[in-house]
Amino acid sequence: MVIVMKLDSSPEQIENVNQRLQKHGFQMQTIHGVKRIVIGAVGDLESINISTLETMPGVEKVVRIMKPYKMVSREARGEDTVVQAGNVRIGGNKLAIIAGPCAVETEEQLYAAARAVKKSGATALRGGTYKPRTSPYSFQGLEEEGLRLLAAAGAETGLATVTEVIDAESMHTAEHYVDILQIGARNMQNFQLLRLAGQAKKPILLKRGLSATIEEWLMAAEYIVSSGNENVILCERGIRTFETSTRNTLDLSAVALVKTLTHLPVIADPSHATGKRELVASMSRAAVAAGADGLIIEVHPDPSAALCDGPQSLNPEEFDALMNTMRPLAAAMGRGI
Ligand code: PEP
Ligand code: MN
């Protein structure tokens, strides 16, 4: 169950609730969010009288949750979570459009991408600097030098920044440079990394694993939130299926379903889902129509020269054209960009 404490509840009241739960054999985790304080408690619900728990000073409400994920579930929180990352809000009324190259390659490449996506109306800049590549012989990223460039390009354009982290070291380094830390599909069940993400001071963009079920994906988010970081953005990026014509299969029913299961914002990545630039625009629009809170799209100033994921990257003109079709669609969905 989840015990939602009043925002003005005192440390003593929280301690009293924790002690009561402990006496009944529960294991607890307290999250001090900006908007609320929540105690997640796992144990035998038959052993405790929930209505007396509800009358304890400082307690706002007690919610019984049968799902394996608790804190990220809709039951724990009715209203949508809006994640504030730098100057961008993800979730809520406005669509978040994160765009930029798969990898930071050079200063010229990154600045050209950053200026172009900003001009077309993107809200955040993506750029990988620690790349989890399938082949050890592929470009692995510029690491900290890339982070410096990303931070500078973000500062110049006013765009919030997103980069992937792959281990404790990259997480601790990236935390100083960017606004959002991405955990990629290949690390979605790296539980040690998820726990560390729970202690990070920056929001986490959690991609769905290559073959992860929705429940496994939400359990991964639960790791982060229960470890102390409630600023999690989920990202559907396509899953492995029998189909080989596209790089992955974009699971848009997951976007619609996950919005009902969790209060966390959900975005979609049509670039990695399809692997084909000619499908990115249509799948972007489909994702927004399915209720996605935003998109993450790969854009490169010269996709044919990209060191990573060129075939799925849009050039600046293609991205601009996509953004122009996105505005009326967003409006039809009752949202802005
Ligand atoms: C990426 O965003 O560059 C990336 C590697 O994504 P994924 O983890 O979804 O494959
Ligand atoms: Mn990529």
Side-chain angles (χ1 to χ4, degrees):
M1 74 185 143
V2 166
I3 296 103
V4 181
M5 301 297 295
K6 291 179 181 147
L7 243 197
D8 59 356
S9 56
S10 67
E12 198 190 352
Q13 288 170 337
I14 296 168
E15 181 55 24
N16 286 342
V17 173
N18 270 310
Q19 277 181 14
R20 167 83 69 97
L21 291 163
Q22 202 167 26
K23 224 171 72 196
H24 291 273
F26 280 79
Q27 285 190 349
M28 289 84 63
Q29 180 78 39
T30 307
I31 305 288
H32 293 264
V34 193
K35 294 191 195 122
R36 64 208 182 117
I37 301 156
V38 160
I39 304 171
V42 181
D44 179 13
L45 288 176
E46 300 303 317
S47 71
I48 196 162
N49 185 333
I50 290 180
S51 34
T52 53
L53 198 59
E54 240 164 1
T55 60
M56 287 184 74
V59 173
E60 189 176 301
K61 62 174 175 178
V62 177
V63 191
R64 290 179 67 151
I65 299 171
M66 293 319 196
K67 301 219 171 67
Y69 45 89
K70 313 280 179 199
M71 291 176 165
V72 306
S73 73
R74 270 277 173 214
E75 288 94 326
R77 181 177 209 189
E79 73 271 25
D80 289 340
T81 288
V82 177
V83 172
Q84 179 83 40
N87 57 6
V88 56
R89 285 158 68 79
I90 301 174
N93 225 16
K94 274 195 155 181
L95 294 178
I97 310 288
I98 305 167
C102 180
V104 177
E105 298 169 6
T106 63
E107 187 171 354
E108 297 69 44
Q109 170 250 16
L110 181 67
Y111 274 74
R115 287 175 188 144
V117 301
K118 169 73 182 185
K119 201 162 138 248
S120 299
T123 37
L125 175 66
R126 65 153 287 150
T129 69
Y130 300 88
K131 295 303 299 174
R133 303 304 299 278
T134 302
S135 165
Y137 309 117
S138 301
F139 176 58
Q140 305 284 312
L142 298 182
E143 303 190 346
E144 191 164 0
E145 177 51 24
L147 293 174
R148 269 190 218 108
L149 294 173
L150 190 58
E156 196 213 74
T157 52
L159 293 167
T161 49
V162 185
T163 208
E164 178 166 357
V165 294
I166 53 174
D167 55 18
E169 198 190 327
S170 56
M171 180 171 297
H172 291 138
T173 308
E175 219 182 349
H176 298 296
Y177 290 99
V178 300
D179 299 304
I180 300 175
L181 303 169
Q182 174 176 322
I183 293 188
R186 288 155 195 81
N187 273 312
M188 191 211 82
Q189 281 191 317
N190 180 339
F191 299 112
Q192 207 55 33
L193 191 61
L194 297 175
R195 279 193 211 280
L196 283 172
Q199 288 149 31
K201 300 281 171 288
K202 296 285 169 71
I204 306 295
L205 173 58
L206 177 66
K207 291 203 160 188
R208 183 178 182 185
L210 302 167
S211 299
T213 64
I214 287 171
E215 189 168 296
E216 287 165 342
W217 186 21
L218 292 173
M219 290 306 281
E222 185 83 7
Y223 260 92
I224 301 171
V225 174
S226 68
S227 303
N229 189 350
E230 55 174 5
N231 293 309
V232 177
I233 305 141
L234 297 166
C235 178
E236 161 61 40
R237 47 79 69 205
I239 50 173
R240 284 244 164 117
T241 66
F242 55 81
E243 182 55 69
T244 53
S245 306
T246 48
R247 184 175 179 181
N248 293 285
T249 298
L250 181 60
D251 185 4
L252 284 183
S253 53
V255 172
L257 180 59
V258 166
K259 291 288 297 176
T260 70
L261 299 175
T262 179
H263 52 84
L264 297 173
V266 185
I267 68 168
D269 176 346
S271 308
H272 291 89
T274 63
K276 289 182 152 74
R277 89 166 55 90
E278 60 272 26
L279 299 180
V280 168
S282 49
M283 289 304 99
S284 295
R285 291 189 288 264
V288 168
D293 296 300
L295 298 163
I296 179 165
I297 298 173
E298 287 187 342
V299 179
H300 193 288
D302 180 7
S304 64
L307 296 182
C308 185
D309 287 348
Q312 67 194 34
S313 300
L314 301 185
N315 66 33
E317 294 71 39
E318 288 164 336
F319 179 68
D320 195 58
L322 165 59
M323 289 298 282
N324 286 335
T325 66
M326 200 59 82
R327 288 187 188 91
L329 175 64
M333 295 294 295
R335 313 183 83 145
I337 289 189

